């Protein structure tokens, strides 16, 4: 009896279920929604009930809808690639640990060293933001590419020596598996500084500092100079200092790409876009003297895509300002320098772009293979370029004659009036030459003391600076990147003590000046 | 799991290791399609972190060996003097040398063993060194720095001799007369440009330098700055005909144009200078 009842109940249930499914089928829910949900969960669905309402995103194949829509839009308006659901390619990740503003050689060097120093795999997430994918205006690739140890500040000498050491072992550091080894095309011809009567004493003093720091430099008298370089006119030269080792010039583009290739192989993210703003939080704090100081912490960086108005806020813990010549602008976006008058909040980052010209000369009778990177006391420099009698030359203009920095046009008058007289005076063979080409590039000029700024900003407590190198950023980039990575990850300098290049000197107005800077 | 796979595919790992050890070889490498097992090795390298780690260990080991061989013999120098330390370094590297005023060479036998007779010559400087085919590199050269009377140095076929090494040779600028750099695979013109500091150089061997572009032109330029030096192993015409444009040397037509062209403007006369 019981069994019969059960049987009738079962058939009744089956009937009800069949009726329900028939109703469902008649309703507006598309049948393939069920098909996909069945397909997703394997042979049977785990859900015990049917969908309450039509859920567009849950079960439906959204992508196929979008695809259909695109096709329709294309059919309606052929020839246009406008689309309401357009996704910008190359957007930066939404979140990162360390964001490096500026993908020049310093920025990529920092990125490389950060990844090199991380303790565990993917320990830090690093993003490098560069605004110009072609590097057409980047100071790195428009520089003369020299490296020297002849500075007067021990910090600069050590930075350059460490960088030379890095370049000597560059394939230990920057080689990537299954790629060609790095060939910097380093030319070991040395630097030759000339001093007139006024500068001889300073040069001797610098020489002593350089020797004590371990640089291989030698002093030459005018007679020794004439003997070594017979093509040079040594009139009015009282003393010369000549670098024997680790000095010369190399290909900046190769170094930049080597850093970039290695850093990206280690997992650094690259993004082409421009930093247009920061979202930050400000707290007012009181100093011991009773002044109110605004402490800022950056939380988001707005990265705008090239050729569009779209931007992506990137959440990050630390920002590194390695924007080179534009570092001052970037710092301004974070509110640096906009504090009330006569407080440290009002001190801007003293870095601005300065335009420098480099001229390519052809002179078949010029100095040969022994020609070093000559720096005259008048400020004119020249070096050999290749073996075919080509040279490049340039000079820093006077402070009041600085050219406008709006574009990279070359002023050829400057060569005729300022450079050539000195050049022809120093090397008589240059009386007869032809300017075959010229270009201009930006110096990241530190107006305060023409030296690099390495370290944390005291008021924006997560923005690090590596900028303002005033023309020797390229040669110091490997060591500067290491120093900054140490500062970020270890909390202090480990290999080279560069605290003299920190921000403190700007706030306390104690310039660390380089003598005989070029 | 990955490690197990690794154990089974030892051969793959070995070829993977050879990928890292691809050193600075001669100019453009032939573009052969990659072999199957090297492709597989690369795949394993990119797929498994432990393969990556092993490859990095192996290249670290290679660098460490090189560094250990070229270490500075400071302890020996302190106890036995500069000359003995330099001699010991040379023999450890399987090179050979001759003391000043002697005719016989000190060298290792075929098993790498040598006699310790050189310990008797504490005060005699070394005059000739032959480091052919050894692993001497930039830092190893520091061991020879004290030998200011060194007259001849042969570096034939040293794989670790590069431009930085040549730039470091200025330590012998007042003594070195003979230098043989043939078959050094890493030397380029950037390093040879620093040789002009060796004012006493009389003989220079430059044959078979694979990375040196247009050796003929480099020979001419070197002879200009080292007028008393005889350069062997390079013909003047070598490399001039086919690879002229690579080296900054312009094509022949362009050079002709330049010489015919009289647009070389005369520079300002020196007396017009204000300085």
């Amino acid at each position: 009896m019981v069994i019969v009842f059960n049987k009738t109940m079962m058939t009744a249930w089956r009937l009800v279920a069949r009726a329900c499914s028939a109703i469902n089928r008649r309703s507006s829910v598309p049948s393939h929604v069920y098909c996909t949900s069945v397909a997703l969960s394997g042979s049977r669905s785990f859900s015990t009930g049917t969908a309450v309402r039509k859920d567009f995103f849950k079960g439906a194949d959204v992508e196929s809808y979008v695809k259909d829509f695109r096709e329709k839009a294309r059919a309606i308006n052929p020839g246009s690639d406008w689309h309401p659901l357009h996704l910008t390619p190359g957007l930066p990740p939404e979140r990162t640990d360390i964001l490096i503003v500026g993908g020049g050689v310093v920025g990529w060097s920092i990125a490389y060293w950060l990844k090199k120093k991380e303790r565990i795999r993917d320990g830090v997430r690093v993003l490098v933001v560069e605004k110009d994918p072609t590097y057409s205006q980047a100071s790195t690739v428009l520089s003369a590419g020299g490296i020297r140890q002849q500075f007067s500040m021990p910090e600069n000498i050590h930075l350059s020596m460490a960088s030379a050491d890095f370049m000597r072992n560059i394939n230990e550091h920057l080689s990537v598996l299954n790629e060609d080894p790095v060939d910097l095309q380093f030319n070991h011809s040395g630097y030759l500084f000339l001093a007139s009567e006024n500068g001889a004493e300073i040069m001797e003093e610098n020489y002593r500092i350089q020797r004590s720091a371990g640089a291989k430099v030698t002093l030459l008298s005018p007679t020794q100079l004439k003997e070594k370089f017979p093509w040079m006119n040594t009139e009015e030269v009282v003393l010369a200092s000549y670098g024997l080792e680790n000095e010369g010039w190399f290909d900046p583009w190769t170094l930049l790409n080597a850093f970039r290739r290695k850093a990206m192989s280690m997992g650094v993210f690259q993004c082409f876009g421009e930093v247009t703003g920061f979202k930050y939080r400000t707290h007012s704090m009181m100093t011991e003297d009773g002044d109110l100081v605004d402490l800022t912490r950056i939380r988001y960086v707005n990265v705008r895509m090239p050729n569009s108005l779209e931007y992506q806020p990137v959440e990050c813990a630390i920002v590194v300002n390695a924007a080179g010549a534009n570092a001052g602008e970037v710092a301004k976006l974070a509110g640096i320098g906009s504090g009330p008058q006569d407080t440290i909040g009002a001190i801007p980052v003293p870095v601005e772009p300065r335009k420098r010209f480099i001229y390519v000369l052809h002179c078949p009778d010029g100095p040969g293979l022994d020609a070093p990177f000559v720096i005259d006391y008048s400020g004119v420099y020249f070096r050999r370029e290749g073996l075919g009698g080509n040279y490049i030359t340039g000079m820093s203009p006077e402070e009041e004659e600085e050219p406008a920095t709006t574009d990279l046009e070359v002023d050829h008058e400057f060569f005729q009036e300022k450079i050539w007289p000195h050049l022809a005076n120093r090397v008589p063979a240059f009386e007869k030459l032809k300017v075959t080409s010229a270009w201009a590039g930006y110096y990241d000029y530190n107006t305060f003391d023409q030296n690099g700024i390495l370290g944390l900003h005291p008021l924006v407590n997560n923005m690090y600076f590596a900028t303002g190198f005033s023309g020797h950023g390229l040669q110091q980039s490997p060591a500067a990147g290491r120093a900054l990575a140490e500062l970020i990850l270890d909390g202090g300098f480990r290999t080279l003590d560069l605290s003299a290049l920190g921000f403190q000197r700007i706030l306390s107005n104690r310039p660390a000046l380089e003598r005989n800077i070029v | 799991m990955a490690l197990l796979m690794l154990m089974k595919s030892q051969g793959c790992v070995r070829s993977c290791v050879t990928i890292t050890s691809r050193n600075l070889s001669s100019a453009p490498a032939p573009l052969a399609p990659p072999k199957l097992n090297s492709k597989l090795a690369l795949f394993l390298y990119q797929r498994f972190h432990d393969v990556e780690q092993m490859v990095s260990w192996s290249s670290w080991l290679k660098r460490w060996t090189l560094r250990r061989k070229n270490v500075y013999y400071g302890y020996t120098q302190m106890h036995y003097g500069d000359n003995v330390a330099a001699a010991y370094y040379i023999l450890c590297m399987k090179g050979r040398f001759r003391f000043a005023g002697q005719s016989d060479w000190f060298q290792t036998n075929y098993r790498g063993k040598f006699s310790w007779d050189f310990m008797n010559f504490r005060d005699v400087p070394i005059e000739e060194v032959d480091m052919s085919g050894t692993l001497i590199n930039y830092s190893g050269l520091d061991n020879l720095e004290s030998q200011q009377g060194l007259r001849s140095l042969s570096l034939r076929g040293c794989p670790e001799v590069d431009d930085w090494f040549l730039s470091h040779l200025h330590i012998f600028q007042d003594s070195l007369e003979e230098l043989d750099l043939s078959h050094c695979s890493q030397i380029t013109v950037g390093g040879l440009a620093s040789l002009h500091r060796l004012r006493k150089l009389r003989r220079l061997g430059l044959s078979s330098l694979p990375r040196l572009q247009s050796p003929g032109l480099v020979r001419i330029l070197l002879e200009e700055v080292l007028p008393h030096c005889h350069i062997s192993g390079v013909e003047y015409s070598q490399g001039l005909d086919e690879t002229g444009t690579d080296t900054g040397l312009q094509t022949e037509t362009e050079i002709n144009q330049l010489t015919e062209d009289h647009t070389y403007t005369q520079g300002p006369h020196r007396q017009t200078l204000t300085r």
Side-chain angles (χ1 to χ4, degrees), chain B residues 4-53:
Chain B
L4 270 176
M5 264 180 84
L6 247 180
M7 296 302 178
K8 284 175 187 163
S9 57
Q10 280 283 327
C12 299
V13 175
R14 206 171 303 127
S15 62
C16 197
V17 169
T18 53
I19 300 174
T20 35
S21 65
R22 207 170 107 181
N23 61 348
L24 290 156
S25 61
S26 59
L31 281 171
K35 290 219 177 80
L36 185 67
N37 55 352
S38 81
K39 260 180 9 196
L40 178 68
L42 189 67
F43 168 77
L44 286 176
Y45 175 84
Q46 285 161 349
R47 188 76 179 73
F48 298 110
H49 286 324
D50 18 20
V51 180
E52 189 185 345
Q53 196 62 45

Side-chain angles (χ1 to χ4, degrees), chain A residues 129-167:
Chain A
V129 179
E130 165 62 36
K131 73 173 176 184
D132 182 11
T134 60
Y135 287 91
S136 60
Q137 302 203 338
S139 314
T140 303
V141 287
L142 295 174
S143 71
I147 176 166
R148 61 180 160 121
Q149 270 94 60
Q150 299 184 45
F151 292 100
S152 65
M153 268 178 70
E155 281 83 6
N156 278 333
I157 301 170
H158 284 301
L159 269 176
S160 278
M161 280 173 58
S163 300
D165 202 59
F166 181 89
M167 288 178 204

Side-chain angles (χ1 to χ4, degrees), chain A residues 123 166 215 304 339 369 399 486 507:
Chain A
F166 181 89
R304 202 186 69 190
L369 205 58
E399 187 73 36
E486 282 167 3
L507 303 185

